[in-house]
Amino acid sequence: MRDWQAWLKDISTELLALEQEGVIEQGSFSNKTKCYKFFQIELVIKLHEEVYQQSNNKLDSAWSLLTGFIPFEVSHDTNLIRKCQIARHRARYIRTATAWNKSLEWYAELPPIIRQYDINIESYQYKRRAVLHFIPERMAAICNALDQPAAHTIPKINYAQPNKEYSFFIGLEEFSITISPELFEGILDLEKSIPTPKILQPRNRKNPPETLTVRMSDLKAAAIELNKKLPIRNWLEGYEKLNLLQINDSLFRIEEITINGIYHLLGPTGSGKSTVIKLLIYDLIKQQNFNADYRICIIFNTVNEVLEMAADCIKMGISAAPILGKSRDLHQYQYGMAYRSSLEPEDLYQPYDPESDPQTALLLDNPALKWLTGSCILSGLLSEGSIPPGSEPCTRLTTREDIAKKKKNAKYNISHYHCPFINICPVHQANRDIAGASVWIATSAAFLQTSLPVNLLNTKMRLLEAANHYCDLQIFDEVDREQVFFEDRFAPSNDLAGSQTDGTQKALLDFIEYSLF
């Protein structure tokens, strides 16, 4: 994650010191929150200066630069667009007209000796003061804050220690464990034998990006190779059914795919889009000699699609890892229901001959099973029972002392500890596979909400951002459904009317009528 307020800390400390020394009136800045607000206002005014220069010196609509909607004045200036996007994160709490106007009124009443701008609150006109008496370095801090996004923070991880009792909750029930020194030392020795994942390096992207050209003959060659690797599927037959057409003034057959930005591949259900994706992945990874430093990210709609694609990549000889989030119980259930007729317990542990029983071999050699069926190591430390999937306390171990303090004081912040076995635990097999994977595969929800392991990036970063930093190509399957999902998260809407009579759908006007009348 990024610390968007780090730039405010030093200059806010100086501002508080001025008040304590009596340079400015006592009570003007009673805490750092007011100091932060003060400099955020000046940051927005500075942005307004750069966007409009001399053409507009009225601040009443300056808040609109923080809304995410780019005004016409900067629509052709990528540098100013970038500054507006950065400022939106820097000044999160003054992004509405009401909050901005109240903030300007407060700013205008502060002592002139400390302000960088004079503001006429009736006309909203402003003028920069000729001399800045105090904290002159604020201008450089503001300019840098507009030019550069906040740096990623390096989180501090506290691991549970041996010979100390730790607690965690499964639902409302509390459980306690104690890690013996012998087990702790044994785990440390085991970790030494496991290769440490190397920290991933961001891509040095060119702007505009390099054009990617894929010939149909290369996809055919990939299909022929895959026929030898996975004869149970007729890849060549699937390729022969493909009929790729390009839309210009008319439809015409193409012999190569050229990607130089966003590329849309349209087709009805069963037309072979998934076949194109798999052949494309195999061809591109093969061109890079199966080097894990070349990386592709694929987004699907469902957990089963993610697991099936990841398993297919493994079978094709491509290193891949699914990125699903923390709801392991739900993932197990969804995958188990999809294969309930073949994933019976009595079938999983029977010996089989891969040559005489290829169907059983196909099922039990499924790489997806190792990502779903791992059990929490801490279960072995419980006196009875086990930790159910989805309830693993990987980063939620705490002490009974903290729990007791929390019960007495609801505002008390509990300290949490990481499980010391997290780097070797079977539950995190998929996370360990991410480091060496050439293909990352995730659901839409995981793409937006799931963070990659801290030890891979040396920071906490969601996949949405990590894919842009560390992947060479991103593929979205069923992009129309992806767009609906993203719009629902980033641009939610409320219906005014049209609910059912019981009010359960809660369209705004119907909800008011149902609730009040």
Side-chain angles (χ1 to χ4, degrees):
M1 298 298 180
R2 299 176 187 267
D3 185 357
W4 290 99
Q5 295 187 335
W7 71 283
L8 294 164
K9 294 176 181 177
D10 290 341
I11 53 179
S12 295
T13 300
E14 292 189 43
L15 188 55
L16 284 174
L18 291 175
E19 184 179 74
Q20 294 170 357
E21 294 168 3
V23 177
I24 55 178
E25 183 181 348
Q26 291 289 327
S28 300
F29 302 98
S30 54
N31 52 54
K32 280 197 173 183
T33 300
K34 288 186 177 181
C35 297
Y36 285 8
K37 181 180 178 181
F38 174 80
F39 291 117
Q40 287 172 355
I41 293 170
E42 295 198 335
L43 176 135
V44 177
I45 298 175
K46 173 60 179 174
L47 175 65
H48 189 274
E49 273 187 318
E50 294 195 18
V51 169
Y52 295 103
Q53 298 181 4
Q54 302 298 322
S55 62
N56 179 5
N57 72 333
K58 297 183 66 176
L59 290 173
D60 54 330
S61 61
W63 64 273
S64 63
L65 298 174
L66 309 176
T67 60
F69 295 97
I70 304 302
F72 174 78
E73 289 81 1
V74 303
S75 57
H76 301 294
D77 191 325
T78 56
N79 185 47
L80 286 179
I81 291 175
R82 185 170 182 267
K83 289 186 176 184
C84 289
Q85 293 170 338
I86 292 174
R88 174 176 168 79
H89 292 283
R90 297 284 192 192
R92 296 180 59 185
Y93 302 109
I94 51 176
R95 296 192 304 201
T96 65
T98 301
W100 173 245
N101 290 335
K102 288 183 177 179
S103 298
L104 280 183
E105 292 174 4
W106 173 78
Y107 180 85
E109 293 174 356
L110 293 172
I113 195 172
I114 196 63
R115 287 190 276 110
Q116 189 170 190
Y117 297 94
D118 288 326
I119 299 175
N120 185 327
I121 207 62
E122 294 181 358
S123 65
Y124 287 102
Q125 292 182 334
Y126 71 98
K127 182 179 180 181
R128 184 188 292 192
R129 298 177 64 83
V131 179
L132 192 58
H133 295 281
F134 299 103
I135 319 179
E137 63 272 21
R138 81 176 77 165
M139 202 61 211
I142 288 174
C143 290
N144 186 64
L146 284 175
D147 288 336
Q148 301 295 330
H152 286 281
T153 58
I154 301 177
K156 182 181 179 180
I157 299 177
N158 295 317
Y159 288 98
Q161 299 299 312
N163 268 347
K164 187 173 182 180
E165 187 178 30
Y166 293 93
S167 297
F168 60 93
F169 287 87
I170 299 177
L172 298 177
E173 188 175 359
E174 182 181 347
F175 294 83
S176 296
I177 60 166
T178 301
I179 303 171
S180 67
E182 294 79 13
L183 177 60
F184 195 84
E185 292 175 5
I187 292 298
L188 292 178
D189 291 339
L190 183 58
E191 283 186 348
K192 293 177 183 178
S193 65
I194 299 175
T196 303
K198 64 178 181 179
I199 296 178
L200 303 181
Q201 298 301 318
R203 296 289 183 264
N204 293 320
R205 300 191 182 281
K206 296 182 179 180
N207 191 15
E210 294 181 349
T211 300
L212 175 63
T213 301
V214 180
R215 297 175 297 179
M216 295 302 294
S217 58
D218 294 332
L219 297 186
K220 183 176 182 179
I224 293 173
E225 286 190 31
L226 288 176
N227 258 0
K228 299 176 181 178
K229 288 188 173 184
L230 295 172
I232 198 168
R233 298 187 185 183
N234 199 329
W235 296 91
L236 188 58
E237 181 181 343
Y239 168 82
E240 297 293 351
K241 292 180 180 179
L242 296 178
N243 184 25
L244 294 184
L245 304 174
Q246 184 165 311
I247 302 175
N248 202 340
D249 294 331
S250 60
L251 291 174
F252 58 93
R253 189 178 180 88
I254 58 174
E255 295 301 325
E256 64 181 24
I257 299 173
T258 303
I259 303 174
N260 57 2
I262 298 176
Y263 185 89
H264 294 279
L265 183 64
L266 309 177
T269 303
S271 60
K273 298 187 297 297
S274 296
T275 300
V276 172
I277 290 175
K278 292 176 182 178
L279 294 177
L280 175 64
I281 291 170
Y282 184 82
D283 178 61
L284 292 176
I285 300 297
K286 178 188 173 185
Q287 287 183 25
Q288 301 296 324
N289 295 319
F290 298 93
N291 184 356
D293 286 335
Y294 182 85
R295 199 170 293 110
I296 299 173
C297 182
I298 313 174
I299 308 302
F300 287 100
N301 287 276
T302 67
V303 169
N304 288 342
E305 289 175 314
V306 169
L307 291 169
E308 288 170 4
M309 186 59 161
D312 283 344
C313 287
I314 297 294
K315 294 174 184 177
M316 289 189 289
I318 299 172
S319 55
I323 302 173
L324 298 174
K326 298 179 180 179
S327 303
R328 295 186 69 245
D329 52 342
L330 181 60
H331 303 155
Q332 286 186 4
Y333 175 78
Q334 291 175 342
Y335 194 78
M337 289 300 292
Y339 295 94
R340 60 187 179 275
S341 61
S342 53
L343 283 176
E344 296 294 338
E346 59 267 23
D347 297 329
L348 293 179
Y349 302 104
Q350 297 297 323
Y352 64 93
D353 184 350
E355 294 184 1
S356 62
D357 194 358
Q359 291 297 331
T360 302
L362 178 66
L363 170 67
L364 300 185
D365 291 341
N366 185 356
L369 295 180
K370 69 174 182 178
W371 296 318
L372 291 175
T373 59
S375 297
C376 178
I377 293 179
L378 295 181
S379 290
L381 300 180
L382 297 178
S383 57
E384 61 180 17
S386 62
I387 300 173
S391 299
E392 298 89 354
C394 309
T395 60
R396 296 182 291 106
L397 293 174
T398 187
T399 62
R400 286 192 168 181
E401 292 81 2
D402 271 6
I403 294 174
K405 292 178 181 178
K406 183 70 174 180
K407 289 179 179 178
K408 293 181 179 179
N409 181 8
K411 294 183 179 181
Y412 179 78
N413 292 322
I414 291 180
S415 298
H416 288 102
Y417 301 87
H418 279 54
C419 171
F421 311 139
I422 195 168
N423 293 325
I424 63 168
C425 184
V427 169
H428 295 278
Q429 181 62 52
N431 283 347
R432 288 197 295 276
D433 291 344
I434 290 173
S438 295
V439 182
W440 293 351
I441 310 165
T443 60
S444 310
F447 185 67
L448 296 184
Q449 300 167 2
T450 299
S451 297
L452 295 189
V454 173
N455 60 334
L456 292 185
L457 310 179
N458 209 22
T459 186
K460 189 176 182 181
M461 186 186 298
R462 292 182 183 177
L463 179 58
L464 170 66
E465 185 175 1
N468 286 281
H469 284 297
Y470 300 100
C471 293
D472 300 274
L473 178 67
Q474 296 180 48
I475 300 174
F476 292 83
D477 188 48
E478 302 291 353
V479 72
D480 52 340
R481 292 200 295 180
E482 305 289 355
Q483 183 175 352
V484 171
F485 179 84
F486 293 155
E487 287 178 350
D488 184 54
R489 296 302 187 276
F490 292 113
S493 61
N494 288 326
D495 294 332
L496 286 177
S499 295
Q500 296 177 358
T501 54
D502 62 357
T504 55
Q505 292 183 1
K506 294 184 176 57
L508 186 59
L509 297 179
D510 298 330
F511 175 71
I512 293 174
E513 180 183 14
Y514 182 80
S515 301
L516 300 181
F517 305 104

